[in-house]
Amino acid sequence: MFLRDYMVVIPGWVFFLIVLGIGILITSVTWALILKRRVEDRTKKLKMALEKAQEADRLKSAFLAAMSHELRTPLNSIIGFTGILLKGLAGPLNEEQKRQLLMVKESSQHLLALINDILDISKIEAGELKLFPSRFDLRASLEKLIGMCRHFTEKKGLYLEFNITEGVHEVIADQKRLEQVLINLLTNAVKFTEKGGITVTCTADQKNYIISVKDTGIGINGNYLPLIFEPFRQIDSGLSRKYEGTGLGLSISKRLIEMMGGKIFVESEPGKGSNFTVVLPKNMEGQDEKESSLDRG
């Protein structure tokens, strides 16, 4: 009697809602556990797929590096032997023979340059490209490159201006790789400029040298600017494209400059030309080892 007085009678619809709520809660927890397990499985599979892709990419880069090395040896021999023949060391040549041999030599040199680009990008992607910094005169290096480029600008009827400030002296960097980058910028400027010319400037601030290669060439559409430093990217693409190249030069240049602790960027406008700027530290030896070589992925 006493307990009955304190018992609460639960309406049927309330009891139904309680049972329904408990059922929904159990179902939600069950689905949450199932989804968690699916996400974990999917994450595991994606991780395995990523590892396989990275390994495949590493093997691809290693294969390209090995093949490029094997191709360079016979090409160097072809270039060397044609040079000997052109000098007449194996006997006199008539004009037609000289013309044909010169074509062989130029084609071989062009192919060797392409192979060298493939070898460089393969080493960079595999994390195997190392820099060898040394102290050298940046002014003298730039003057040498300008002298090399002047022949090609004169051939196309272009002007070539060179302005360097008094504060440009020694730099500690990889001279061979820095000159590779600057040659690429200069040859691109010549290649994409039909009238007007090229202006090269070099200034200095407290920590960096700023090198600029400006041309009056065809320019680049703003939509393509974020893409031009990616490997194999070419603005002039397709079977009927006018300009030769693999699309590796700028990508390699960007990675090399970044390995030396610097940066490279471009400003351009279609029909008015492009301005590539390299910001190079005066001393790259103080960098951490991680900044002197690229990660393996």
Side-chain angles (χ1 to χ4, degrees):
M1 230 12 226
F2 179 77
L3 291 174
R4 186 178 301 171
D5 293 338
Y6 290 92
M7 288 180 66
V8 177
V9 178
I10 301 175
W13 65 272
V14 175
F15 181 78
F16 172 76
L17 290 177
I18 292 173
V19 172
L20 180 62
I22 293 172
I24 293 173
L25 179 62
I26 294 172
T27 303
S28 299
V29 171
T30 302
W31 273 107
L33 292 173
I34 292 172
L35 288 174
K36 181 183 177 183
R37 186 175 301 169
R38 288 180 178 177
V39 169
E40 289 174 349
D41 290 343
R42 182 62 61 86
T43 302
K44 185 178 179 180
K45 290 179 180 178
L46 288 173
K47 184 178 179 181
M48 292 175 62
L50 177 61
E51 290 174 351
K52 288 181 179 179
Q54 290 174 338
E55 177 64 12
D57 188 62
R58 188 191 67 80
L59 292 173
K60 177 211 69 177
S61 297
F63 171 77
L64 287 174
M67 287 302 298
S68 298
H69 179 75
E70 292 299 320
L71 288 169
R72 288 174 71 189
T73 302
L75 273 173
N76 281 319
S77 297
I78 293 171
I79 293 170
F81 285 130
T82 52
I84 291 173
L85 293 173
L86 285 168
K87 289 179 180 178
L89 299 178
L93 299 172
N94 59 43
E95 291 303 316
E96 180 61 21
Q97 289 172 329
K98 289 181 181 179
R99 189 181 70 84
Q100 295 288 347
L101 282 172
L102 189 60
M103 289 174 60
V104 171
K105 185 177 181 181
E106 290 177 349
S107 296
S108 299
Q109 289 173 332
H110 178 66
L111 183 56
L112 182 60
L114 299 183
I115 290 173
N116 285 336
D117 282 348
I118 294 173
L119 183 61
D120 282 345
I121 200 68
S122 300
K123 284 184 176 180
I124 288 172
E125 291 181 349
E128 296 175 356
L129 185 67
K130 303 299 179 183
L131 298 182
F132 300 94
S134 63
R135 186 185 299 273
F136 64 95
D137 188 343
L138 180 59
R139 178 184 293 270
S141 176
L142 287 170
E143 289 174 347
K144 176 184 70 175
L145 298 179
I146 292 297
M148 293 168 56
C149 184
R150 195 172 297 280
H151 166 74
F152 300 102
T153 55
E154 290 176 352
K155 190 175 180 180
K156 292 187 70 173
L158 305 174
Y159 67 77
L160 178 58
E161 295 181 354
F162 180 42
N163 302 312
I164 185 168
T165 61
E166 293 296 327
V168 178
H169 302 292
E170 290 186 337
V171 63
I172 297 178
D174 188 317
Q175 183 174 1
K176 176 184 175 183
R177 295 301 183 178
L178 176 59
E179 290 181 352
Q180 176 183 342
V181 171
L182 297 177
I183 288 172
N184 178 258
L185 296 180
L186 286 168
T187 53
N188 278 351
V190 174
K191 179 166 64 174
F192 294 108
T193 303
E194 298 300 330
K195 60 181 180 178
I198 300 160
T199 302
V200 180
T201 59
C202 183
T203 59
D205 60 23
Q206 188 174 0
K207 295 183 179 180
N208 303 297
Y209 289 119
I210 300 94
I211 305 168
S212 171
V213 178
K214 184 177 182 180
D215 64 62
T216 59
I218 61 175
I220 306 168
N221 189 293
N223 296 330
Y224 294 109
L225 288 178
L227 307 175
I228 62 171
F229 291 109
E230 295 182 4
F232 303 104
R233 287 283 188 176
Q234 291 177 307
I235 306 306
D236 178 36
S237 60
L239 295 175
S240 60
R241 64 192 182 94
K242 180 179 178 181
Y243 302 99
E244 295 181 346
T246 59
L248 288 173
L250 288 176
S251 175
I252 293 171
S253 296
K254 182 175 185 293
R255 301 293 288 274
L256 290 175
I257 291 299
E258 288 176 348
M259 288 174 70
M260 286 185 269
K263 58 184 179 179
I264 181 172
F265 54 90
V266 59
E267 298 171 312
S268 187
E269 188 174 346
K272 293 188 177 180
S274 303
N275 185 15
F276 284 84
T277 301
V278 173
V279 180
L280 180 73
K282 294 181 178 179
N283 183 357
M284 66 163 282
E285 284 191 327
Q287 297 182 95
D288 188 79
E289 187 178 354
K290 291 182 179 178
E291 295 178 1
S292 298
S293 62
L294 295 178
D295 293 335
R296 295 179 182 270

